Amino acid sequence: MILVFGRTGQVATELQRLGDVTALGRDQADLADPGACAEAIRTRQPRVVINAAAYTAVDRAEDEEPLATTINGASPAAMARACAAIGTPLVHISTDYVFDGSGTRPWSPDDPTRPINAYGRSKLAGETGIRAAGGSHAILRTSWVFSAHGNNFVKTMLRLGKDCDRLSIVADQVGGPTSAAAIARVCLTVAEALCLHPDRTGTYHLSGGPDVSWADFARAVFARTGRTPEVADIPSSAYPTPAARPHNSRLDNTALTRAFNLGRPDWQADLDEVLRDLDRL
Ligand SMILES: NC(=O)c1ccc[n+]([C@@H]2O[C@H](COP(=O)([O-])OP(=O)(O)OC[C@H]3O[C@@H](n4cnc5c(N)ncnc54)[C@H](OP(=O)(O)O)[C@@H]3O)[C@@H](O)[C@H]2O)c1
C-alpha cells in the first residue's frame, strides 16, 4: 500500500488521480499531532509513505510559527522515525523557501540553507528531522505549485484578470512554476525507485522549467486566455507581505535527473493541461 498524508491539497489530489494510494485527511491523521502520524504508519504498515500534507499558509505562519513547526517539522520527523522502524521509504515534499534567495545561480540540493521566513524555518525543521531518523527517504524540494484545485497563483490571476485591465505583478522573484500533477508523478516514481534502491536516499530539487518571474508567469497565463490585462512589472518592495519571499528561487534539478532519470517538467505544457482541467471542472 502507498500511504499518502494529505487528501484535499493540490499534490494530494493529483496523487489520488494518478496512483492507487490510500490518502489520509486531517480527520484520520492530524499533523498537529506527531504521535497520531506515527501511529497511522504503525497500524497500516505501508510499503511506502508520501507526505503531501503541510502547513502552507506562508504569511499566517509568521503569527503561528509553533503550530507550523509542529505540522511541517515534528510530524514529518515522527513519520520518518515510524517509517525507519519498519523499513518503509518516505517521500517528503519540501520547498525553495529553505534558501535565502540570494544571487541568481540555481540552488543545488547541498547548498547552505538559510530560510528568511517562519514557513521556511518550519519546512527546514522537517528536512532535518527526516534525515536524523536515519531511514530511507527522498526530500523533494519544489516551488510555485499550481493546479486546477485549491488556491494558487494561476487561479488568482484568472480571477483578477476577469475584472482588471491592468495588474501590477512582482518581477524580481524568479523561480520554476511546478504543476501538482508533475510533482505527484515524480513522487510516485521516486517512491517505487526507493523501494528497490534505498541507497538513492537524499535531497532532490524538482521545479518546472524554464525559470520565470511572477510577472512573466502571469503573462503566460493571460496569453492562454481570452482576456489579456496589461501586466506591469513591480519590485517586491512595492507589494509588502507579512513574510519575506526569496528573490532567487531557481532550483537545479540535475541530481533528480541523475538519480531517477527524470527530466525537468515543462511548466508551459503543464499550464495548458491545468487550464483544460479548469474548463472541465
Ligand atoms: N504551494 C506551493 O506553492 C508550494 C511551494 C513549494 C513547496 N510546497 C510544498 O508542497 C507540498 C504540497 O503543497 P500543496 O500546494 O499541495 O499544499 P496545499 O494545497 O496547501 O495542501 C496542504 C494539505 O495539507 C493538509 N494539512 C494542513 N494542515 C494539516 C494538518 N494539521 N493535518 C493534516 N493535514 C493537514 C491540508 O488539509 P486540509 O485541506 O484539511 O487543510 C491539505 O490537504 C507541501 O509540502 C508544501 O510545503 C508548496
Side-chain angles (χ1 to χ4, degrees):
M1 175 222 284
I2 300 177
L3 185 65
V4 173
F5 285 89
R7 196 173 51 206
T8 59
Q10 298 189 83
V11 175
T13 299
E14 296 298 335
L15 282 165
Q16 292 164 84
R17 286 171 81 176
L18 285 171
D20 183 12
V21 304
T22 300
L24 301 183
R26 194 186 286 252
D27 49 335
Q28 289 151 301
D30 186 349
L31 271 72
D33 179 354
C37 298
E39 187 59 21
I41 293 169
R42 274 196 293 272
T43 53
R44 291 176 177 81
Q45 300 269 314
R47 192 163 59 81
V48 56
V49 172
I50 301 174
N51 179 26
Y55 183 111
T56 54
V58 174
D59 287 319
R60 198 166 4 113
E62 296 297 308
D63 292 326
E64 293 188 340
E65 188 162 356
L67 176 62
T69 305
T70 301
I71 293 172
N72 292 344
S75 281
M79 289 175 202
R81 286 191 296 272
C83 282
I86 57 171
T88 292
L90 171 67
V91 177
H92 173 78
I93 307 167
S94 191
T95 171
D96 54 305
Y97 280 26
V98 297
F99 296 114
D100 65 9
S102 57
T104 55
R105 186 177 61 79
W107 298 99
S108 292
D110 48 6
D111 277 335
T113 50
R114 195 179 78 88
I116 58 173
N117 59 38
Y119 166 76
R121 286 190 293 274
S122 72
K123 294 292 289 185
L124 183 58
E127 293 190 2
T128 308
I130 289 169
R131 290 187 201 107
S136 152
H137 67 267
I139 294 169
L140 296 175
R141 294 190 186 126
T142 191
S143 59
W144 298 21
V145 180
F146 66 96
S147 75
H149 309 277
N151 298 316
N152 57 66
F153 183 81
V154 171
K155 291 177 73 179
T156 303
M157 289 303 110
L158 292 174
R159 193 176 63 245
L160 295 176
K162 276 191 193 139
D163 305 320
C164 304
D165 294 324
R166 190 171 189 279
L167 289 168
S168 298
I169 310 286
V170 168
D172 59 359
Q173 293 171 25
V174 175
T178 316
S179 80
I183 298 169
R185 272 193 295 275
V186 170
C187 282
L188 291 168
T189 302
V190 168
E192 293 300 343
L194 272 185
C195 290
L196 295 173
H197 308 284
D199 54 312
R200 294 191 193 165
T201 284
T203 301
Y204 300 95
H205 288 174
L206 163 68
S207 66
D211 293 318
V212 71
S213 70
W214 285 118
D216 283 339
F217 188 31
R219 290 186 184 96
V221 173
F222 294 131
R224 286 163 168 77
T225 64
R227 271 194 56 75
T228 50
E230 184 196 338
V231 173
D233 287 0
I234 56 164
S236 307
S237 55
Y239 186 71
T241 49
R245 263 73 172 170
H247 285 214
N248 174 23
S249 283
R250 298 170 183 87
L251 296 177
D252 182 341
N253 286 224
T254 310
L256 183 77
T257 303
R258 281 210 189 109
F260 300 101
N261 197 24
L262 291 166
R264 195 175 181 193
D266 170 357
W267 65 256
Q268 301 183 75
D270 291 341
L271 177 59
D272 290 335
E273 185 57 40
V274 163
L275 293 175
R276 278 194 292 274
D277 240 20
L278 282 166
D279 275 346
R280 284 192 289 262
L281 284 177

